[in-house]
Amino acid sequence: MTHKVIKSAFKPVLLFVALFAFAVAAYSAATSASADSSDPAYSKVYNEAKKHLGSRYVYGAVGPTNFDCSGFTKYVYKKSIQKSIPRTAQAQYNGTKKVSKSNVQKGDLVYFGGSKHSISHVGMYIGNGRMIDSQNRGVITENVYSPWWHVVGFSRPTTLSYDD
């Protein structure tokens, strides 16, 4: 009998916790969506990157129809906001302002490889643990934290705001 009383007493608590978690998730999604609409520079970069989804990966290619990873990020920044960044993934990492994982923002670059001195891939962070990148399957949107990627750092090529 006591077990049933305890079990039924927890139902309202569990319901409250579930509703609270749902409310927090909804609020987080709403504030993240509103950040896109209030940030015209990020919107330009993101919209340019999205135009190329499905483009073929070709080693050494810098666009506008075929890309390698760093050719893609270089092309997107130059075409969308006239920001010139270095050509290779390692040079992009070396030549841009580093940011921590906890401070990464949409439009920042995310780097992969063996270490910060051995970078082999770059993608553009688009929020919610996702990126747009050019890799062997072409230009796609995918998870940053996938088993086949080893994140070694993040950088901010430019501040994407009204102040640019």
Side-chain angles (χ1 to χ4, degrees):
M1 182 76 170
T2 310
H3 180 68
K4 285 184 179 181
V5 171
I6 292 173
K7 192 174 180 182
S8 66
F10 277 117
K11 284 183 180 178
V13 173
L14 289 174
L15 179 62
F16 175 77
V17 169
L19 289 173
F20 180 76
F22 179 76
V24 168
Y27 174 77
S28 175
T31 56
S32 118
S34 67
D36 290 346
S37 60
S38 66
D39 194 343
Y42 171 71
S43 291
K44 285 181 182 179
V45 172
Y46 178 66
N47 288 334
E48 184 61 37
K50 278 195 332 184
K51 286 180 193 175
H52 302 285
L53 286 170
S55 294
R56 275 187 24 179
Y57 174 88
V58 174
Y59 180 80
V62 294
T65 57
N66 299 316
F67 301 94
D68 70 5
C69 65
S70 56
F72 176 69
T73 52
K74 179 176 180 58
Y75 179 88
V76 166
Y77 266 91
K78 184 67 173 173
K79 180 82 173 167
S80 62
I81 60 170
Q82 294 70 52
K83 173 69 177 176
S84 184
I85 60 176
R87 170 61 187 97
T88 67
Q90 185 72 57
Q92 288 176 7
Y93 179 80
N94 293 344
T96 54
K97 179 183 175 191
K98 309 310 170 279
V99 293
S100 66
K101 177 181 176 181
S102 61
N103 289 323
V104 68
Q105 296 176 2
K106 295 175 183 179
D108 287 347
L109 298 179
V110 55
Y111 301 91
F112 306 88
S115 73
K116 293 177 182 184
H117 306 289
S118 176
I119 292 172
S120 57
H121 188 69
V122 61
M124 187 181 80
Y125 187 74
I126 59 171
N128 298 320
R130 309 228 0 117
M131 69 176 168
I132 295 179
D133 66 326
S134 181
Q135 43 105 317
N136 62 353
R137 292 181 287 156
V139 177
I140 63 169
T141 302
E142 66 176 323
N143 290 324
V144 169
Y145 301 100
S146 296
W148 50 88
W149 295 125
H150 177 248
V151 177
V152 296
F154 300 89
S155 78
R156 184 160 301 141
T158 189
T159 301
L160 296 175
S161 70
Y162 290 106
D163 299 330
D164 278 347

